[in-house]
Structure formats: C-alpha cells, structure tokens
Amino acid sequence: MPPSISGFQAAYISVEVLIALVSVPGNVLVIWAVKVNQALRDATFCFIASLAVADVAVGALVIPLAILINIGPQTYFHTCLMVACPVLILTQSSILALLAIAVDRYLRVKIPLRYKTVVTTRRAMVAIAGCWLLSFAVGLTPMFGWNKLGEAQRAWAANGSAGEPVVTCEFEEVISMEYMVYFNFFVWVLPPLLLMVLIYLEVFYLIRRQLNKKVSASGGDPQKYYGKELKIAKSLALILFLFALSWLPLHILNCITLFCPSCHKPSLLIYVAIFLTHSNSAMNPIVYAFRIRKFRVTFLKIWNDHFCGQPAPRKDEDPPEERPDD
C-alpha cells in the first residue's frame, strides 16, 4: 500500500512541479543564449552556463527525486542514499560556479589590461570541469561511508531482519546531520558565501575608486567601461544574494536538527525551506532577462526565430557599440 499524502505534501508537490516547469525551460534558454550569441562567450557567461546546467538538473532530476523522498517510499538504504545525493552535488556545483563568477569579475576590474591573457576560454573550461569534479566529490561523500547506515543496520537487526536494511526513504533517514552541518555547511557552503561577499565588496570598491579617479586602464571612456562593470557586478551580486536567501534557511534548520534534537520543527517551515532551495533554480533566468541586456535581447531573438516565426533583425543580436558583458 503506497504511503498516504497529507495536504501539506500535496501542496508542496504541486509547487515543486510548477518550479520544475519554470526552471527547466528558463535555464535551457540561458544555455541556448550562450551558445548562439558570440557576445556571450567570455568566461563569465561560460560560468553562468555551467550554473544553468546545474539548475536544469535541479528541475529535471532533483525535484522529481525530492518529491519521491517527500512521499517516503520503502527502499533499500543505499538506493535511498543514491536518490538523496544528487541535490548535494548540484548545490555544491552552483556554489562553486558562483564563486568562479565572483573571481572572474574581480579579475576584470583588478587587472583589465591582462585579463584576456590570464582568463582564457581554455582556462575557464578547466575551471568549470574542476568545479564539477569537486562537486561530485563533496556530494558523493555520504556514498563513501559518512551516512546513517550504522543506525539503520542496528534498527534492522533489532527487528530480527538480515541483509541490507530497508528504510523509509527520507533525506534525514540516510544523510548524517554531522555531514550536513560540519562538512557541507561549515566547510563547503558558508565559507564560499562569505568569501564571495568579500570579493563583491572589493569589486564595488575598485570600480567606485576608478570612477572617482576617472582613469581608464582600457584606454576608453572610464565612465562607460567601469559603469558597465558596476552594472554587471550588481546583477551577479543579486544572483548571489538570492542563492544565500534560498539556501540558508534549510541549513539553519539542519543546524537546529543537529544541535537541538528535541526542538520541534513545523512541517510547513520545512516545506517552505525546501521550496526556497528549489525555486532558486527558477530565479536566475528571470534576473538575467531583467538585468542583463545581452541575455534579454538574445532571449527575444530565440523566441522570435524559433517559436513565433518572426526572425529578429540581425543588428539586434549584438549591437556593435556594446561590450560582451553588457
């Protein structure tokens, strides 16, 4: 007999499906835009495309698995563990992509003359591959032993059963809170977020200083060059802020679970926290569309060319007077 679904769960599942239906097409559009518009091929937008890949996977893979976990079917322990790990991998990939974007923006304003020789496409691709490999290592750590198998085996043996334990497949049944708090949050989430905040503060400081000095290291109009850098930095800092706003509540709840096991956590609060983490994947394309003109123009061109049958004029794709990161 399948497990019963509460009213909260039904509402949660409906919202999750809606998020997936927004997140997947929106982030596919981001990747598509980077592919078709030559002006979106620099390092920053390569990192943004990597972030979009993670967000597509959240909508197409993690959300269906999260719905499955929320229902709580009976599965073997390691089967449930395999279902729980993808969200850890993709979360870490998003954090490292955001960190790479922040470092890239810092280099653009710190060493504008040498930026193109230091940050090449090849090096950006190597950095992206490294971010994904590290994300798999962090996210799959529970598969290598840092999990709750020992507790599950003891409970399974106490019932007189043998073999691999069967558990109600829920996240906290298989993933250790020590791993989630001490390793995942305190090592791989919180320090990168704090580092990114410091990087963006330094970026804003450098840009403001250059604007005040009216000095252009690129030899062009300083107001135009650094004004564009300021605009793009604000947009990407907004992406970082939304990520932190979406993920910190769930990590705080994990800390409460670990440090105050007797504390009651309302089901509605848990659902809202999970909903926020997944909705972050749907936010980014909206921010790009409203804040970054290159994306907005390319989105409209893709829509007109492939869905409306009204090809946009070639001149609208990449106005020659604008830099690639407008």
Side-chain angles (χ1 to χ4, degrees):
M1 181 177 179
S4 60
I5 299 177
S6 68
F8 276 150
Q9 286 177 310
Y12 163 79
I13 292 171
S14 300
V15 173
E16 288 281 42
V17 170
L18 179 61
I19 292 171
L21 293 175
V22 174
S23 177
V24 173
N27 285 287
V28 167
L29 193 59
V30 170
I31 299 167
W32 195 348
V34 173
K35 182 178 185 300
V36 301
N37 191 343
Q38 192 68 33
L40 296 175
R41 298 286 181 83
D42 69 355
T44 298
F45 295 110
C46 290
F47 293 130
I48 287 176
S50 177
L51 179 61
V53 169
D55 288 337
V56 168
V58 169
L61 176 64
V62 170
I63 288 180
L65 293 179
I67 291 173
L68 180 65
I69 287 179
N70 187 264
I71 295 173
Q74 296 288 317
T75 67
Y76 287 112
F77 182 89
H78 282 95
T79 301
C80 185
L81 197 58
M82 291 178 63
V83 170
C85 281
V87 66
L88 302 174
I89 296 169
L90 296 172
T91 303
Q92 195 58 50
S93 174
S94 297
I95 292 171
L96 293 177
L98 289 169
L99 180 58
I101 290 169
V103 172
D104 175 72
R105 301 319 298 183
Y106 172 75
L107 293 175
R108 291 188 71 91
V109 299
K110 184 67 174 180
I111 53 168
L113 282 176
R114 295 188 294 121
Y115 171 79
K116 289 187 177 179
T117 59
V118 172
V119 185
T120 62
T121 301
R122 177 183 175 85
R123 288 175 178 172
M125 293 298 105
V126 170
I128 289 171
C131 288
W132 277 99
L133 288 174
L134 184 56
S135 300
F136 272 92
V138 174
L140 291 178
T141 296
M143 293 293 297
F144 301 134
W146 200 344
N147 53 50
K148 300 178 74 173
L149 178 60
E151 296 177 28
Q153 286 176 329
R154 286 190 292 271
W156 188 243
N159 292 329
S161 303
E164 182 176 0
V166 174
V167 298
T168 300
C169 190
E170 297 175 349
F171 192 84
E172 293 185 13
E173 288 292 321
V174 294
I175 300 294
S176 165
M177 278 299 114
E178 285 81 5
Y179 162 83
M180 287 301 301
V181 174
Y182 293 127
F183 185 69
N184 187 275
F185 183 47
F186 287 168
V187 176
W188 292 105
V189 174
L190 192 57
L193 287 179
L194 294 176
L195 178 59
M196 283 184 271
V197 170
L198 294 176
I199 290 173
Y200 277 112
L201 289 175
E202 180 67 10
V203 167
F204 292 137
Y205 169 75
L206 290 173
I207 292 174
R208 291 296 187 186
R209 188 177 67 179
Q210 292 297 336
L211 288 174
N212 291 336
K213 286 183 177 180
K214 301 186 184 301
V215 174
S216 174
S218 65
D221 181 357
Q223 294 292 328
K224 183 177 181 181
Y225 176 78
Y226 287 105
K228 290 175 181 177
E229 291 297 330
L230 180 61
K231 182 179 179 181
I232 197 77
K234 286 180 177 179
S235 300
L236 296 172
L238 176 59
I239 295 291
L240 172 61
F241 171 76
L242 292 174
F243 182 89
L245 188 67
S246 299
W247 279 96
L248 286 179
L250 185 60
H251 282 290
I252 290 171
L253 287 175
N254 288 339
C255 291
I256 293 173
T257 299
L258 179 63
F259 299 126
C260 184
S262 61
C263 294
H264 174 66
K265 297 181 298 181
S267 296
L268 179 59
L269 188 61
I270 296 172
Y271 285 154
V272 169
I274 296 173
F275 159 71
L276 281 174
T277 64
H278 296 161
S279 65
N280 181 251
S281 297
M283 295 176 190
N284 293 344
I286 298 172
V287 174
Y288 302 148
F290 280 96
R291 298 278 306 182
I292 302 178
R293 186 177 185 275
K294 287 292 184 185
F295 271 117
R296 183 167 63 252
V297 170
T298 310
F299 288 167
L300 289 174
K301 185 180 187 309
I302 291 172
W303 178 260
N304 289 330
D305 288 355
H306 297 277
F307 300 100
C308 292
Q310 300 175 356
R314 294 289 299 176
K315 63 180 182 180
D316 289 340
E317 178 180 349
D318 184 19
E321 70 275 8
E322 294 185 326
R323 292 178 55 81
D325 55 337
D326 289 350

